Amino acid sequence: MFIAMNRFKVAIGSETEFESIWRNRDSSLPEVPGFIEFRLLRSKTNEEEGYTLFSSHTIWASEADFSNWTKSESFRKSHRNAGDHKAVYVGHPVFEGFNVVEGI
């Protein structure tokens, strides 16, 4: 099992817009081989640095399934408008990928 996460620093006041972007994006993840689950996570607001931390969290049957998706038309389609909302973000997303340690 593989967990893929992207952390997003969202400008204070843009949280609702960010959530709306995710709610309305063209995603075909449920049809992608190896895809198991998606969650959008919202953390606390960092007032001093001017952002609220979010993370997209997907679970995949394997790292290969995730990698195959990132090379697919489905991936390109779901990310095609990513640059249209730059004012929502503070910096760039940060990717983290994890293989699940079985038996623990």
Side-chain angles (χ1 to χ4, degrees):
M1 193 173 305
F2 184 75
I3 298 174
M5 298 172 57
N6 275 297
R7 293 183 316 150
F8 303 89
K9 292 179 179 179
V10 174
I12 292 174
S14 297
E15 296 88 350
T16 301
E17 181 180 354
F18 179 77
E19 292 173 11
S20 178
I21 291 166
W22 282 87
R23 274 192 191 92
N24 298 312
R25 70 188 286 176
D26 186 10
S27 174
S28 58
L29 279 177
E31 292 84 41
V32 175
F35 170 76
I36 297 173
E37 182 178 313
F38 172 84
R39 296 275 184 243
L40 183 63
L41 310 173
R42 181 178 180 165
S43 188
K44 294 183 179 182
T45 298
N46 183 325
E47 296 283 346
E48 292 176 3
E49 296 190 27
Y51 68 84
T52 300
L53 186 63
F54 284 82
S55 180
S56 63
H57 180 275
T58 53
I59 301 175
W60 298 84
S62 70
E63 186 173 359
D65 288 327
F66 170 75
S67 181
N68 289 338
W69 174 67
T70 65
K71 299 170 189 167
S72 73
E73 180 60 30
S74 172
F75 178 87
R76 285 185 290 282
K77 189 174 168 184
S78 67
H79 290 82
R80 72 173 170 250
N81 297 324
D84 293 351
H85 308 283
K86 290 181 182 178
V88 171
Y89 304 100
V90 176
H92 296 285
V94 176
F95 173 78
E96 298 172 317
F98 302 90
N99 283 293
V100 173
V101 177
E102 299 296 333
I104 297 178

